[in-house]
Amino acid sequence: MGLRHVKGEGHSPSAILDSIGRTLTTASNGIKALAEHLATDESFAQSLVEAVELVGDGHGRVVVSGVGKSGHIGRKIAATLASTGTSAYFVHPTEASHGDLGMVTSDDVLILLSWSGETAELANMLTYAKRFKVPIVSISSNRDSILARNSEIALVLPKVPEACPHGLAPTTSAMLQLAVGDALAIALLERRGFSAEDFKTFHPGGKLGAQLRLVHELAHVADQMPLLVVGRPMSEAVIEMSAKGFGVVGIVDEGGVLVGVITDGDLRRHMAGDLLGQPVEEVMSCHPKVIQADVLASAAMEFMQEHKVTVLFLVDETGMPEGILHIHDLLRAGVA
């Protein structure tokens, strides 16, 4: 027989908003309690440091496991570790007991999650780990639990109220497990000096992948660049600007160094007199905004928005142009 839903006070908009507010407040208080736990419990703080060092100095992979909501959190922790440079994967305890334990080696580190620390489904993993000397990092709330007592490193979280009014559905507790997992992943990322370029390797797709592309991957190069040498007449600049379609032409000196640009705005400001007969250096704007080829696309977009420009020349360390990038190139790539 299914549950009966009786409409009452709890269904009013104000009651719904009150419920949401209580949940968010409970969650916020849980994170504050975790931060205070880190600041006041030396054993917990030292255990976190040891866990980061154990994983960071290891030669194998991180194998994460848990059941129920802890399992869902464990999957996310494994995914975050893997995407930030720590080789990791999730194994369900039931599947582990039916053959997947063969994937775990003595070079690996097990991260096992159980809020109570007494999850029966983890027993076979504990036995296997002890037999083959696989170190265990546990995340629980019970220092005296079977899991914590059988772990090389036990991360014991503070016991906090659940947002569930019955105290049954894992809500705040799951959030604390996730927060600790994220903290471990970011500490490992920073410890190994994992860069944005490294991050790009693991995130080639979607908007994030687009933001992590380098500008030289999106730029127009060689003959596609609108360029003229100083001394040439403005009539050639107008032709070059129109032919290349960027609304700008770069001006280089005899050595090929970019010394200025001419934009549509420059043309409008110099319409009086013999514009087409003037040399380009009389019309160009000096000290143009430029960018280097190894800059992230997301940084280029931010730079364009900050300086209110739609086109950037890519230059090398000597100032010679290597390409040209239009804001439309960034938009087409999905950076914005």
Side-chain angles (χ1 to χ4, degrees):
M1 185 174 179
L3 292 174
R4 296 179 61 193
H5 298 278
V6 181
K7 190 169 183 177
E9 283 296 318
H11 291 267
S12 68
S14 61
I16 292 171
L17 289 175
D18 285 344
S19 173
I20 292 171
R22 285 194 300 272
T23 298
L24 294 179
T25 298
T26 304
S28 175
N29 290 340
I31 291 296
K32 289 179 182 177
L34 181 60
E36 291 174 4
H37 189 52
L38 174 65
T40 59
D41 190 318
E42 292 184 8
S43 175
F44 177 63
Q46 183 60 32
S47 294
L48 283 168
V49 172
E50 291 174 357
V52 171
E53 291 176 342
L54 175 65
V55 174
D57 293 338
H59 301 291
R61 298 168 296 178
V62 176
V63 183
V64 187
S65 191
V67 177
K69 301 301 184 292
S70 291
H72 293 303
I73 296 300
R75 288 182 187 276
K76 196 278 180 183
I77 291 174
T80 300
L81 287 167
S83 70
T84 52
T86 299
S87 181
Y89 63 94
F90 178 85
V91 173
H92 193 281
T94 302
E95 299 299 330
S97 297
H98 290 272
D100 283 0
L101 277 173
M103 296 188 291
V104 184
T105 74
S106 57
D107 288 331
D108 297 333
V109 174
L110 278 172
I111 296 182
L112 303 182
L113 289 83
S114 169
W115 188 249
S116 68
E118 301 290 348
T119 303
E121 290 88 344
L122 294 175
N124 287 337
M125 299 194 78
L126 288 173
T127 301
Y128 181 90
K130 291 300 180 184
R131 178 182 177 187
F132 292 100
K133 296 182 173 55
V134 182
I136 296 173
V137 176
S138 63
I139 302 177
S140 73
S141 66
N142 187 354
R143 190 178 303 277
D144 297 321
S145 65
I146 292 175
L147 178 59
R149 286 189 284 107
N150 285 277
S151 302
E152 275 65 32
I153 301 172
L155 303 179
V156 182
L157 307 184
K159 293 182 178 179
V160 293
E162 301 286 10
C164 169
H166 310 298
L168 299 175
T171 47
T172 317
S173 58
M175 185 184 63
L176 263 58
Q177 289 178 319
L178 180 59
V180 168
D182 284 344
L184 291 175
I186 299 307
L188 286 162
L189 176 154
E190 294 179 346
R191 186 176 188 265
R192 65 168 51 90
F194 193 80
S195 68
E197 286 73 19
D198 296 322
F199 205 85
K200 173 178 178 288
T201 303
F202 300 105
H203 299 78
K207 182 174 180 179
L208 183 57
Q211 292 176 327
L212 292 171
R213 294 178 70 178
L214 302 180
V215 291
H216 73 78
E217 300 176 56
L218 304 173
H220 306 267
V221 298
D223 292 340
Q224 296 175 309
M225 289 188 291
L227 294 173
L228 280 179
V229 181
V230 291
R232 306 308 301 170
M234 278 299 301
S235 58
E236 293 185 14
V238 173
I239 293 172
E240 183 75 356
M241 187 184 298
S242 301
K244 300 297 172 66
F246 291 101
V248 66
V249 59
I251 308 302
V252 298
D253 62 18
E254 290 82 356
V257 174
L258 188 73
V259 293
V261 294
I262 297 173
T263 66
D264 294 330
D266 293 317
L267 293 181
R268 290 192 295 271
R269 285 188 289 272
H270 291 81
M271 287 300 292
D274 182 21
L275 171 64
L276 298 183
Q278 294 184 55
V280 291
E281 59 267 28
E282 294 297 323
V283 178
M284 72 180 187
S285 297
C286 300
H287 311 297
K289 298 290 185 295
V290 296
I291 202 165
Q292 293 192 319
D294 59 354
V295 170
L296 292 174
S298 57
M301 175 65 82
E302 183 178 345
F303 186 81
M304 286 183 174
Q305 293 172 334
E306 178 184 352
H307 294 283
K308 296 180 172 60
V309 297
T310 58
V311 180
L312 289 172
F313 275 97
L314 281 59
V315 299
D316 64 14
E317 62 277 4
T318 67
M320 297 184 68
E322 296 183 308
I324 186 170
L325 182 73
H326 196 283
I327 194 170
H328 290 166
D329 299 317
L330 298 173
L331 295 175
R332 277 192 294 269
V335 176

